[in-house]
Amino acid sequence: MVMPAPAVAGPGGAAPGSVADVRRSNLALVLGAIAEFPPGVHPSRAQLAGATGLTKASVSSLVLDLLDAGIVREIGLNPQERGRPGVGLELSPSRAVMGMEINVDYISAAVVDLAGTVLVREEEERDNRNSPDGPVLSALAALAARVRSTAGEHGVEVLGGGLAVPGLVDPALARVLTAPNLGWVNADLDLEALLPEAPLGVALFNEANAAALAELRHRPDGASDFLFVSGEVGVGGGIVIGSELFTGPHGHAGEVGHIVVDPDGGHCSCGGTGCLETVAGQDAIFAAAGLALDRGSRSADMSALLQALRAGEPRAVSAVERAARCLGIALASTARVVNIESVVLGGHFAVLEPWLRAPLLASLDKYAPGKYASSQVTMSAVGESGALLGAAGSVIRSLMEAPHRLHA
């Protein structure tokens, strides 16, 4: 995972702010340059000077700060360098962040190193519907402690983390404004309790937005404009335009699950009527398929649905086809508004692709003819780890942009 470094003035240019501001910017510049070298290539200080435009003396001084902070380590000599090889540098494999997720029917946590590799991951199925935030946070804190301990046994220190939740959030206040499927309204979360004494603390993210960012960083086709739609108990969405997440004026854009697809439809957890979620959400599909749900195991419920689909049971097939048609209506409406021609499907939409794809494409062709090519309707590149990777990746990016926070 390569994180972009902020643009900074070179040694001959002027940069605004104090000397300390310039040094902080250059510290990020050097760290970003180290991260941008291909895997297995360990740049020397001289190579970093060439890559950044800074003097060798400045780079050496900045590298010392990064070494002291433990973000970078020296690793032998660099044989690719001409002349006398210098000492190679790389992102420290003993430093990492944690991605965490609270969803309606599970909690999860993963330790991710600074290069974006998942080192430890654990998930726990748990029915969080209408459960107060306190007990859910306590359960997640216990899970995070186990994952953190496992990473620690291998010499990995967790610097901070990101938490993704299926609802509208105010990251500055660590507040979930509303998460209808959890039953949370204006819930102030004790994020520090999730990772006690972690120097970078814990940041809060919307689950679908976090997953969209993970898709952006891992897409094999390098797409920079797409709509990500995640199917869980709810249906979430994230809009990426020009390789940037579009969140709207208040950070709440992309709520695809609450586009009305049936004005005379059922009541939605958001308080509305006929939202996409009431037809294409996980529980809605299970109910329409006539399945007896096991509230203690979402994997068992999905296995039962897949078994019914493979057997060609009419109610199961009809439920998925209706969800696909309504998903097409919502995507058609979104395409008209934001002019996006590519969509990435995650969650149960990806799992159900063999039965969902044909009716979805037919729906798109009916309601938005010529807007989406079939090749532009793709499945998630990161699977169920999307929200974890996105939350962790955002924290890594913030560290890359401000590494002085660890050195202070």
Side-chain angles (χ1 to χ4, degrees):
M1 181 188 302
V2 177
M3 303 297 174
V8 239
S18 67
V19 173
D21 290 337
V22 174
R23 184 171 182 82
R24 289 172 178 174
S25 295
N26 286 337
L27 197 67
L29 181 63
V30 170
L31 180 59
I34 294 172
E36 287 172 1
F37 275 82
V41 178
H42 307 123
S44 68
R45 289 163 174 79
Q47 287 176 311
L48 291 172
T52 61
L54 300 173
T55 66
K56 292 181 182 179
S58 293
V59 168
S60 294
S61 176
L62 294 164
V63 165
L64 282 176
D65 282 357
L66 295 173
L67 290 170
D68 288 345
I71 314 174
V72 166
R73 73 169 183 176
E74 295 180 324
I75 178 166
L77 300 178
N78 187 341
Q80 290 90 9
E81 192 172 18
R82 293 182 179 180
R84 182 180 178 182
V87 175
L89 298 161
E90 70 171 2
L91 297 177
S92 174
S94 65
R95 298 292 184 272
V97 303
M98 186 180 294
M100 293 167 283
E101 181 182 4
I102 294 172
N103 218 304
V104 179
D105 48 7
Y106 66 91
I107 55 177
S108 59
V111 172
V112 181
D113 70 16
L114 299 183
T117 302
V118 176
L119 304 178
V120 186
R121 182 179 185 274
E122 190 172 335
E123 181 177 303
E124 180 180 306
E125 293 193 348
R126 187 181 193 278
D127 189 354
N128 297 316
R129 294 170 179 83
N130 299 314
S131 177
D133 57 277
V136 178
L137 265 288
S138 294
L140 181 59
L143 177 64
R146 292 199 302 271
V147 172
R148 190 179 187 181
S149 177
T150 300
E153 291 171 2
H154 294 86
V156 176
E157 178 187 351
V158 174
L159 301 175
L163 170 62
V165 299
L168 303 182
V169 302
D170 185 334
L173 297 177
R175 177 177 296 166
V176 177
L177 301 175
T178 175
N181 289 307
L182 293 175
W184 295 358
V185 177
N186 291 327
D188 293 316
L189 306 185
D190 183 7
L191 298 181
E192 291 184 6
L194 295 175
L195 292 176
E197 300 180 2
L200 298 180
V202 177
L204 182 62
F205 302 93
N206 168 268
E207 171 264 335
N209 283 343
L213 288 174
E215 290 294 333
L216 175 64
R217 293 170 188 142
H218 292 84
R219 291 302 299 165
D221 56 9
S224 60
D225 303 274
F226 60 87
L227 170 66
F228 173 76
V229 184
S230 174
E232 303 283 350
V233 170
V235 176
I239 302 171
V240 175
I241 300 175
S243 296
E244 296 288 340
L245 183 68
F246 175 75
T247 59
H250 302 291
H252 304 155
E255 288 290 290
V256 179
H258 298 291
I259 291 176
V260 177
V261 296
D262 181 2
D264 299 316
H267 178 74
C268 182
S269 61
C270 74
T273 298
C275 298
L276 174 63
E277 192 171 288
T278 66
V279 180
Q282 186 173 280
D283 285 358
I285 294 176
F286 290 154
L291 300 177
L293 302 183
D294 178 358
R295 287 298 188 194
S297 175
R298 70 189 183 103
S299 57
D301 292 339
M302 183 55 69
S303 294
L305 176 62
L306 292 173
Q307 183 177 355
L309 290 169
R310 294 186 187 107
E313 293 186 9
R315 286 190 67 180
V317 173
S318 176
V320 173
E321 288 181 345
R322 182 173 183 235
R325 288 194 298 272
C326 290
L327 177 59
I329 293 172
L331 295 179
S333 300
T334 304
R336 301 297 192 190
V337 174
V338 296
N339 194 32
I340 284 184
E341 300 174 353
S342 179
V343 61
V344 179
L345 300 178
H348 65 250
F349 295 139
V351 175
L352 299 175
E353 181 191 15
W355 300 272
L356 177 138
R357 187 174 184 84
L360 170 60
L361 293 177
S363 181
L364 288 173
D365 187 56
K366 179 179 181 180
Y367 297 108
K371 198 65 178 174
Y372 290 102
S374 61
S375 60
Q376 293 300 99
V377 179
T378 59
M379 300 302 120
S380 169
V382 294
E384 293 186 349
S385 297
L388 291 176
L389 287 173
S394 294
V395 175
I396 293 172
R397 179 172 179 173
S398 70
L399 173 60
M400 293 291 176
E401 294 174 344
H404 66 274
R405 290 186 296 159
L406 283 182
H407 192 261

